[in-house]
Amino acid sequence: MSDHKHVITRRDFVRGTAGATLGAVAMGGTLEALAAPAATSQVVLVREQWVLDEKHEVNAGILKIMLRNVLTKVTGKPDPASAWRALVKTDDVIGLVATDHLNKTHTELIELVRESLTEAGVPKSNIRNAQGGPEKAKACTALIALPALKAHWLTGIGTVLKNYITFSGSPSSYHDANNANLGEIWNMPHVKGKTRLVLVDALRPLCDKGPQLDPRYLWDYKGLIAGTDPVAVESVCLKIIMQKRQALRGEPWPLSPPPMCVEMADKKYGLGTSRMEQIQLDRIGWTADALV
Amino acid sequence: MHRRASFFLGEIRCILCLPSREWIRRARLVLVRVLLGVSILPFASCKGASAEGLAMNEASLNLPRSVGAWTQSGDPEFVGPKEIFKYMDGAGELYLGYRFKRLEVRRYASADQGEILVELYWMESSDDAYGLLSGDWGGEAVELRAPEHGSSSPAATEGPRALYGAGLLRVWSDNLYARLIAENETDASKKAVLALGQAIVMGRAAPPRPVFIRELPASVSSQFLLRPDRVTFLRSHLVLNSVYFLSSENLLDLGPDCEVATTIYVQGTTATSSNAKPTRLLLARYANEAAAANALHHFREIYLPEKMREPRTSLTGDSGVVAIEDGWMGFARSGRGLALVFESPDEASARLLLNEFVRILERLEASHE
């Protein structure tokens, strides 16, 4: 088999060796080398019961408070302005990278982030929508990832890591089995090191994978999930999605295909940690049905 | 007029290829339309893909201009296989995996109740459209056509042909798969969506489920019970992976000319008991015997590499049963058919299930279905 290209099978997942195996093969390394522990990453989960009404409309006032809580908790700063200044420079060209397809990021959240950045001293002209091709990322010196929480039929989960797929210039080459390589986009020269904050819109997530929107699988979670480690944030998101699926069916309902991209982003691309035991989850606000 | 005349000629050419009962039924339908002068191209203007050259069972829709508070807005949009990725980022593979021909999109607008989006996916065959519905049996089963006098609801015996939930109606109607979704779900929008669903299926054929699906036994030796809500028909490995991940590679050489049924069987007294240990079944049929043999070889080499290297392995023939990490798995090829069992609780159960499914393959081959 050693002369064959490595193929991931279900058996690799059952054995728990899928990511490690693929990573080891890709890097030519050993499994032992992959076992080195990573530093603990912080993820902040803020939820408020009344941020959505019964028609799922956003209460912008409550969302603003949630954003404030996220920013101050992630940075340890006392207010949003100083929090943003800890994350970005006021002369940065800042790209907001929101989900623009299938369970889109709420426009209220995007606007609040924009407004909040402006209040922190970033000129309006330096804040732009960066969702799109590689040139969008190239034009920015800092990126704020603003994906919405959702499952995806080709990648298992389609939230944080997949949010930058268009920066690759060839999105379809990351579909199917190649979803495992989504992490490499974050290491491309025009993307690497630019992401200052990952802020997930978990107000009304989508727990089944589509490929098209099925409203039966939307639910009011009323949360924001944030951190500076994209893999840790994605791992928390993944746990929420998986727990919701199990709760809906009353039996295990695994994501298929398995979200290989999460573990690979950790073990192959070194973007952060996918291990829940290495994630410090800080919670603020509403706790019912948190699923994590 | 010229276009309509050539359209009818096309229909006649098409029905000549059909089995006799279906031939007679469709021929009658065409004759009635000719005599009544019914317009069968009610929405001829289009964008993107062409509406020209439609087969008979693709152009018979006559959707209302208005339904409740909603009125059709703009011209229908037509999306072909080349444009589907532009229309729906990432979702194109699903439809192409089911031999997609064309998508027709219609929009119904209202003053203050949001939009109703109607997507009509014209597929190569009824089996393809069924396959799309079978991706998710969740939602409320709805009967869109009135049952014939004295007959029971088809849903009671065959499973649903339409499912509704949270504003979304999904419909299998012959070679058409339809998705109708209300922007805001209300009682009024539900009524409108269901009325549009009824208009879609009206006068259209309702072929039976794919033959592989019909052949799945409700139980095997009274020990294993079928989970009807987990039955899926598919042709592509991407769709298989979205149901049951097998491999990052197309291990079973699936493709448009394959027919695959997959489902789970559970041990116990009720099929929906959540404590029951499920066993996964996959039945595949290929274009010919060589293709099936190659697929089995490919599968064994990648999925069971260490077992194949064992001296005196018994897995090199057309059938075998072996213990792996998640239970017992078995495979058996019969002609151009292949049966696979995964996660069986023990060897005897794996063999029992395989034998049953091989009999199905043999029966289908003998009957030339």
Side-chain angles (χ1 to χ4, degrees), chain A residues 1-2 4-16 18 22 55-57 100-102 150 152-154 162 165-166 171-180 204 208-218 245 249-258 260, chain B residues 85 87-95 119 121 135-140 164-168 170 177 179 181-182 227 229-230 236-249 251 264 272-274 301-307 309 323-326 342-343:
Chain A
M1 281 302 292
S2 58
H4 287 199
K5 79 169 180 173
H6 188 80
V7 177
I8 302 271
T9 71
R10 178 174 203 87
R11 294 182 64 193
D12 291 315
F13 282 94
V14 176
R15 287 192 292 250
L22 186 58
K55 290 183 176 173
H56 322 293
E57 299 290 337
D100 62 353
H101 176 78
L102 187 64
K150 63 177 178 180
H152 192 274
W153 94 286
L154 289 171
K162 190 177 173 297
I165 194 168
T166 54
S172 60
S173 63
Y174 293 91
H175 284 168
D176 190 16
N178 293 328
N179 85 75
R204 191 163 161 74
D208 196 28
K209 52 193 183 289
Q212 290 161 291
L213 183 71
D214 186 330
R216 287 177 303 138
Y217 300 121
L218 290 167
R245 288 164 66 86
R249 284 210 171 160
E251 63 183 347
W253 185 17
L255 284 167
S256 193
M260 293 182 269
Chain B
F85 288 99
Y87 178 79
M88 56 178 94
D89 178 30
E93 288 100 333
L94 172 69
Y95 293 98
E119 293 177 329
Y121 296 89
D136 186 343
W137 292 109
E140 170 195 352
Y164 178 86
L168 173 66
R170 296 174 293 128
Y177 173 70
R179 287 181 98 251
I181 186 164
R227 279 282 298 263
D229 60 335
R230 296 291 181 270
S236 96
H237 88 284
L238 284 181
V239 179
L240 173 62
N241 277 349
S242 79
V243 177
Y244 187 75
F245 178 80
L246 204 54
S247 169
S248 56
E249 187 171 292
L251 288 194
I264 56 175
T272 51
S273 164
S274 59
E301 289 295 313
I302 304 291
Y303 205 74
L304 304 169
E306 82 287 10
K307 306 286 183 191
R309 284 198 299 268
I324 56 173
E325 293 81 1
D326 53 1
F342 297 90
E343 299 182 55

Side-chain angles (χ1 to χ4, degrees), chain A residues 39-54:
Chain A
T40 299
S41 291
Q42 180 202 35
V43 175
V44 174
L45 169 62
V46 177
R47 298 174 70 217
E48 289 299 336
Q49 188 173 3
W50 311 112
V51 68
L52 299 180
D53 66 16
E54 68 280 2

